[in-house]
Amino acid sequence: MQPTGHLRGDFVRVAGDARQRFYDSRGYGRPLSGDEIALSRVEAAHLLFRGDLSGVVLDGEETDATSGDDREVGFERFFVESAAAADRFAVRYLVYSDLRDRGFYLSPAREPWPGGDAAVADAVDFVAYERGSTPDTGDVKYPVQVVGERESVPAAGLAGRTLAVVDEESDITYFAADDGAIEGDTAYEPPAQTTGVLLADRVVVWDAPADLYERGFYGQPLTGRAAAVDGALQLSLVEAAALAADGRLSLSASVDAAGRGGAESDGTADETTPDGPAAAIVARGRAVEGERFDRRLAVYRSLREADAVPKTGFKFGADFRTYLDVETVDDLPHSEHLVRVVEPDHRFSPRELSLDVRLAGGVRKEMVFALTGVGDGTDGAGGWAGTDSRGRTDADVEWLSVGRLTP
């Protein structure tokens, strides 16, 4: 005969041989005195569904006035009552049951349950232990955060968690979120003196050193059939701003978005020149793109400083794609990452996250999100907070890699 549970607040108390039957042998619940255990509502519902509990006596409904017997409820009533009483019970139950069926022991990630000892974020619902591990051994495999399809998920601090997204048809998709810091091996130093012309939304270098493109993978050559112009290289505003901020690019002139010519730059980019080439390029970037330009520039420069090569990710719906080891564009490897730049307070919708991750996986790339606060407000001096007028920044970038997971 299967034991009966008694609901006490937010847990179900089970007596008899419950400790040996459920906790010691199968990792359910937490020990109380003697052989009694406490089960979370989700654990109790799972055992009811499996038929391992005969029923649960609800708080305040202990005795039938006519027969004097305890009034037990089955899975259906207990599930409905718990869904009304406990936050997000239904989606948490679905994930718990799925992972149990996959062979994992799980515990609620809060005190006084065994999983409450794990060093995980407050948003984590369960910890799933390594196969073969129990709550006593504490070898956590997945810190699981359960999310409904219509909820949102803060991007900040998400690294280290497993997202279990339950859609409207109760299917579950798992995502692994990890530190996505990108480190490359592209050993290239751009030439010290390059001069370009600032156009409406790009910079053209008419006599670019050959290795700027061929080895550094900067820009795109201006080419065509029977071209009479040789050595012209088009730089994006982000590429040009980064080169100018490092003192490697000067401007001979500029043309604004309306086609009007501008004053020639003095060609310098030192600390005492407020209107140097970097300032002009950053100002143009802000004019055509708004505050996103500063965030993308900060991430671009961080990637270059990490010896990775970022190029536009437009074709993939991202800000950048990255190459880790470029020796020459004639022997170019496949790009390894797609990078999307977001604000630190960005909140993912599960649909948005699924779309990005699915697309990256479909083209055999890793999806990385770069969180940076650059561009979140004005600094009172004509620039955006975190980035000076010449595109230099000391802003932190938090890297977040998200991929599909099959537990």
Side-chain angles (χ1 to χ4, degrees):
M1 182 176 178
Q2 306 297 9
T4 299
H6 290 75
L7 182 63
R8 297 291 184 266
D10 67 346
F11 70 91
V12 174
R13 191 177 186 120
V14 185
D17 63 349
R19 174 161 184 160
Q20 185 278 330
R21 183 192 293 245
F22 295 125
Y23 178 77
D24 291 340
S25 63
R26 296 158 66 188
Y28 285 96
R30 58 183 172 88
L32 299 175
S33 59
D35 290 329
E36 289 186 309
I37 66 168
L39 299 170
S40 70
R41 284 179 180 264
V42 165
E43 291 174 311
H46 186 247
L47 290 172
L48 277 171
F49 185 79
R50 290 171 52 88
D52 292 330
L53 286 178
S54 65
V56 172
V57 179
L58 302 180
D59 255 344
E61 299 185 13
E62 283 82 359
T63 306
D64 186 288
T66 302
S67 66
D69 296 330
D70 285 342
R71 293 195 293 190
E72 300 178 14
V73 302
F75 172 79
E76 296 89 343
R77 170 79 184 279
F78 182 77
F79 188 92
V80 172
E81 293 279 344
S82 294
D87 182 46
R88 299 162 50 253
F89 173 82
V91 291
R92 290 190 296 111
Y93 169 79
L94 291 169
V95 172
Y96 180 90
S97 180
D98 182 68
L99 288 172
R100 271 282 180 177
D101 290 347
R102 292 171 184 262
F104 292 97
Y105 289 172
L106 295 90
S107 295
R110 66 181 190 278
E111 296 289 354
W113 307 99
D117 294 334
V120 296
D122 291 342
V124 170
D125 293 282
F126 304 110
V127 291
Y129 302 97
E130 295 270 6
R131 284 191 173 90
S133 296
T134 66
D136 286 334
T137 60
D139 297 328
V140 175
K141 176 70 171 178
Y142 302 117
V144 182
Q145 179 176 346
V146 181
V147 181
E149 178 185 345
R150 297 177 180 87
E151 298 179 60
S152 63
V153 184
L158 193 58
R161 301 181 209 167
T162 298
L163 286 181
V165 179
V166 183
D167 67 23
E168 66 179 358
E169 295 184 351
S170 299
D171 285 333
I172 303 168
T173 303
Y174 294 94
F175 298 96
D178 296 300
D179 176 12
I182 298 172
E183 297 290 336
D185 295 299
T186 302
Y188 176 75
E189 287 291 329
Q193 292 296 327
T194 302
T195 303
V197 176
L198 175 59
L199 305 180
D201 62 351
R202 66 204 63 223
V203 170
V204 175
V205 179
W206 293 113
D207 55 351
D211 68 353
L212 188 61
Y213 171 74
E214 292 173 1
R215 294 188 55 239
F217 205 10
Y218 282 91
Q220 182 73 18
L222 189 61
T223 59
R225 289 186 178 181
V229 176
D230 186 32
L233 187 67
Q234 304 170 86
L235 299 172
S236 72
L237 291 177
V238 167
E239 292 174 312
L243 287 168
D246 291 336
R248 298 179 181 275
L249 175 69
S250 59
L251 298 177
S252 61
S254 65
V255 179
D256 66 17
R260 295 183 294 261
E264 292 191 3
S265 165
D266 62 5
T268 62
D270 58 54
E271 295 288 345
T272 62
T273 309
D275 297 320
I281 299 169
V282 168
R284 183 62 53 79
R286 291 167 179 164
V288 300
E289 192 174 340
E291 63 186 64
R292 284 192 67 251
F293 182 80
D294 289 75
R295 286 196 293 272
R296 293 202 311 117
L297 177 55
V299 171
Y300 179 93
R301 298 197 68 193
S302 293
L303 289 168
R304 280 288 183 178
E305 288 167 4
D307 292 331
V309 176
K311 299 293 287 184
T312 179
F314 175 79
K315 291 181 180 179
F316 306 102
D319 289 287
F320 302 110
R321 68 189 194 276
T322 65
Y323 300 84
L324 299 186
D325 190 3
V326 176
E327 293 185 4
T328 171
V329 294
D330 293 331
D331 189 23
L332 195 65
H334 288 290
S335 58
E336 294 89 350
H337 305 90
L338 295 182
V339 179
R340 189 152 75 86
V341 182
V342 298
E343 303 92 328
D345 61 354
H346 181 75
R347 298 182 69 92
F348 294 113
S349 73
R351 188 182 299 272
E352 164 199 20
L353 198 61
S354 180
L355 180 63
D356 283 339
V357 172
R358 174 69 74 177
L359 191 151
V363 292
R364 300 183 181 181
K365 304 184 196 308
E366 180 181 345
M367 190 68 221
V368 176
F369 299 91
L371 285 64
T372 178
V374 171
D376 286 343
T378 58
D379 62 7
W384 295 95
T387 305
D388 68 17
S389 63
R390 292 185 25 229
R392 296 168 305 185
T393 177
D394 57 1
D396 291 332
V397 177
E398 179 183 345
W399 302 96
L400 177 66
S401 169
V402 182
R404 287 286 297 271
L405 172 69
T406 301

